[in-house]
Amino acid sequence: MVTRTSIGALGMAGLLAASGVIALSGTADAASTLGSAAAGKGRYFGTAVAANHLGEAPYVSTLDTEFNSATPENEMKWDAVERTRNSFTFGAADQIVSHAQSKGMKVRGHTLVWHSQLPSWVGTLGTADLRTAMNNHITKVMQHYKGKIHSWDVVNEAFQDGSSGARRSSPFQDKLGNGFIEEAFRTARAADPAAKLCYNDYNTDGVNAKSNAVYNMVRDFKARGVPIDCVGFQSHFNSASPVPGDYQANLQRFADLGVDVQITELDIEGSGTAQAGSYSNVVKACLAVSRCTGITVWGVTDKYSWRASGTPLLFDGNYNKKPAYTAVLTALGGSSPGGGGGTAACTVSYSKQEEWSDRFNGKVTVTAGGSAIGDWTTTVTVTSPQKISATWNGTPTWDSSGNVMTMKPNGNGSLAAGASTSFGFTVMKNGNNAAPVLGSCTAS
Ligand code: XIL
C-alpha cells in the first residue's frame, strides 16, 4: 500500500462560493440513481468492482442499480493479467467487463504501467528487455479489451509525494528514464486508438508541488503532440488529507490544457453530515468543470473498501444508503424516491452576511415544500478550526467535535406551504474562510 501524505486543508470556500446555495428538494421526475442523475449532467458515475463479490446478490443489485461505469479494482493490474512473462490471464477482469457490458455500463481500464502490484520478474529485466516487456504488456492487454474500455489509466502514480516534483523510483523510471511515460502513451494509442488515455495519480487533487509536476508533464505532452486525453485524480480523502479548497480550480487548470479530467478513485473517510458535505463538494466541483467527464468511487460498500475502517463509501456494510449517498445524488440533481430527504418537505439555502477580519455572519433560509410543515431540522457544518460563536432565531445542539450544529426552530416551527423562515450564526474564522456546509432539511 502506498503512503498518503497530507496535502493541506484550505477549506471549501472556493467550492461553495461558486454556488452559495444548497437546496435539497425532490421533484417527481428527478433521477433517482447516481448513474441516471450523473447522465442527466452528461457524466458517468462509476465504482470500483471486485470480481470475487459478483456472486453476492445485494452487491450486484446495488452495482447494477446505481452505477453506469465500472473499474476493475485489481483484476487488470499487471500481477493479475501477466503474472508470468507473456502468459496472459484475463479471467477475472473479463468477468467484470462482461457483467458491466451486459448492464450497459462503461468500463475504465486500470492500470497498465504502475510500480505497485507488479510481478517481480519485471524488475529483474535489463533495459532493452524491460522496454520490450512494457510495450508488449500495454499492447496485449489493450488489444484484448479493444473497443470495450472508455478510458485507460496508462500510467499510474509515477510522481513522488512531497515538494520535489520528481519521478518516483520504479523499474520503469530507473531503467528507461523519464521517457517511459511518453513511450507508454505512444504504445497505448497504437494499441487501441479509440480509448481515452489517462495519467492517474493521488495527492494531485489540489494545487501543490506534485500536481504542478504532473501539470508540467501534461502541458509538455500537449505541446509536443504526445497522445494524452485525460488526467485521473484519485481523490482518496480523510481528515489528514481533506478535499482541498482549490480542488475545482486544480481540475480546471488541467482541463484548460486540453485534456478531460476524471475523478477516478473517490473515497472520503468519515461519517454523517461532515462526510456528506465533502462528497457534495467533490461532485459540485466536477459539475462546475465542463471537461470533468465522470466520477468513480473506490468501491460499492464500506465493508469491502480498501480502507474499510474509515467507512469512506456511499453504502454501508448492509448496503444502506448513507447521508453521503443522498448528498451525492442531490448534488447531481437527483432525488431519492419517498424518503431520505427525498420527500422534500423543506429545503435550506445559505447566504453569507456581514464579514469582519476575524468572523462572518451566515444566514440559513428554511422553506417549506408544497405542503405545510409542523417542525424542521437542519445541520450546519463548519471547517475546523472555525467555530460558531453565536446563533439567533433557532435552538442549536452540537456534535462532539463542535463543528456540526443541528438547528431546530425556537418554539413552534410550523410553516405554511412555500413559506420561509431563517436563522443566523457567527463563524469565528480562526484563519479559515471556508463557507459552511448545510445538511438536508427534514420536516415533520
Ligand atoms: C488498491 C485496491 O483497492 C486494493 O484492493 C489493493 O489491495 C491495493 O490497491 N491507488 C490505486 C488503486 O491506483 O489501484 C489502489 O487500489 C488504491 C490506490
Side-chain angles (χ1 to χ4, degrees):
M1 191 155 91
V2 288
T3 306
R4 309 279 149 177
T5 56
S6 170
I7 49 182
L10 296 176
M12 309 300 174
L15 299 173
L16 279 167
S19 64
V21 173
I22 298 175
L24 287 126
S25 63
T27 57
D29 56 1
S32 61
T33 67
L34 301 172
S36 61
K41 302 288 185 188
R43 269 83 170 174
Y44 64 85
F45 201 95
T47 178
V49 175
N52 60 331
H53 303 313
L54 288 175
E56 186 175 318
Y59 182 93
V60 175
S61 70
T62 306
L63 167 66
D64 292 353
T65 306
E66 294 289 344
F67 299 95
N68 58 11
S69 175
T71 306
E73 185 170 354
N74 291 297
E75 293 78 352
M76 285 184 179
K77 292 172 181 175
W78 197 314
D79 65 354
V81 297
E82 194 189 4
R83 175 167 284 284
T84 305
R85 188 168 185 182
N86 212 25
S87 160
F88 288 86
T89 46
F90 292 116
D94 284 355
Q95 228 187 309
I96 295 173
V97 172
S98 55
H99 181 89
Q101 288 194 316
S102 75
K103 302 295 172 186
M105 295 178 205
K106 297 169 173 246
V107 182
R108 290 195 88 257
H110 177 77
T111 176
L112 294 164
V113 182
W114 188 26
H115 66 276
S116 185
Q117 295 180 270
L118 186 66
S120 55
W121 64 264
V122 180
T124 67
L125 303 179
T127 300
D129 218 5
L130 177 64
R131 186 184 304 283
T132 306
M134 179 183 85
N135 289 323
N136 182 56
H137 179 80
I138 294 168
T139 302
K140 294 273 171 60
V141 178
M142 287 187 76
Q143 281 176 347
H144 181 79
Y145 291 110
K146 196 167 181 168
K148 298 183 174 175
I149 305 290
H150 73 81
S151 306
W152 264 110
D153 291 331
V154 178
V155 175
N156 196 34
E157 302 185 349
F159 285 81
Q160 276 179 29
D161 288 319
S163 59
S164 71
R167 309 291 169 98
R168 176 198 295 275
S169 170
S170 71
F172 311 106
Q173 179 66 35
D174 300 348
K175 289 178 185 151
L176 307 181
N178 284 352
F180 91 85
I181 303 181
E182 171 171 353
E183 183 161 351
F185 275 84
R186 291 190 188 278
T187 302
R189 178 66 94 225
D192 183 357
K196 296 226 185 235
L197 306 181
C198 304
Y199 176 80
N200 191 53
D201 216 327
Y202 70 93
N203 277 354
T204 50
D205 311 300
V207 176
N208 58 41
K210 188 174 175 182
S211 68
N212 287 344
V214 175
Y215 179 87
N216 289 336
M217 178 188 75
V218 174
R219 189 173 52 186
D220 170 60
F221 279 16
K222 294 302 284 185
R224 291 191 297 110
V226 179
I228 183 166
D229 306 303
C230 37
V231 176
F233 298 84
Q234 292 186 10
S235 304
H236 295 293
F237 298 120
N238 58 23
S239 57
S241 182
V243 184
D246 55 8
Y247 190 64
Q248 181 184 320
N250 191 48
L251 297 177
Q252 187 65 59
R253 73 170 176 151
F254 278 87
D256 289 344
L257 291 175
V259 289
D260 289 344
V261 296
Q262 301 178 7
I263 297 167
T264 52
E265 303 181 16
L266 178 63
D267 59 5
I268 308 177
E269 295 187 342
S271 63
T273 325
Q275 183 181 49
S278 295
Y279 263 104
S280 175
N281 287 333
V282 168
V283 172
K284 286 176 181 167
C286 179
L287 293 181
V289 175
S290 59
R291 293 198 75 150
C292 181
T293 58
I295 299 174
T296 297
V297 290
W298 205 238
V300 174
T301 159
D302 281 342
K303 76 172 163 170
Y304 297 139
S305 165
W306 73 310
R307 313 197 287 174
S309 65
T311 61
L313 295 171
L314 303 178
F315 292 87
D316 72 16
N318 295 316
Y319 299 96
N320 294 313
K321 294 169 180 173
K322 296 165 61 180
Y325 170 93
T326 308
V328 167
L329 184 62
T330 303
L332 289 170
S335 75
S336 295
T343 49
C346 55
T347 59
V348 281
S349 66
Y350 169 76
S351 62
K352 192 179 208 177
Q353 307 290 300
E354 304 84 347
E355 181 167 14
W356 300 267
S357 58
D358 62 334
R359 66 194 192 281
F360 61 86
N361 288 342
K363 176 181 173 183
V364 172
T365 302
V366 180
T367 305
S371 317
I373 58 173
D375 201 5
W376 52 265
T377 307
T378 191
T379 63
V380 177
T381 302
V382 296
T383 306
S384 180
Q386 292 177 334
K387 285 289 169 224
I388 295 179
S389 61
T391 70
W392 48 97
N393 295 341
T395 306
T397 53
W398 306 88
D399 79 335
S400 57
S401 72
N403 293 325
V404 183
M405 173 175 77
T406 299
M407 189 63 109
K408 291 176 180 292
N410 272 341
N412 183 350
S414 62
L415 287 172
S420 293
T421 186
S422 65
F423 64 87
F425 51 91
T426 299
V427 178
M428 302 306 300
K429 296 181 192 174
N430 294 323
N432 186 318
N433 205 14
V437 177
L438 302 187
S440 58
C441 185
T442 53
S444 57

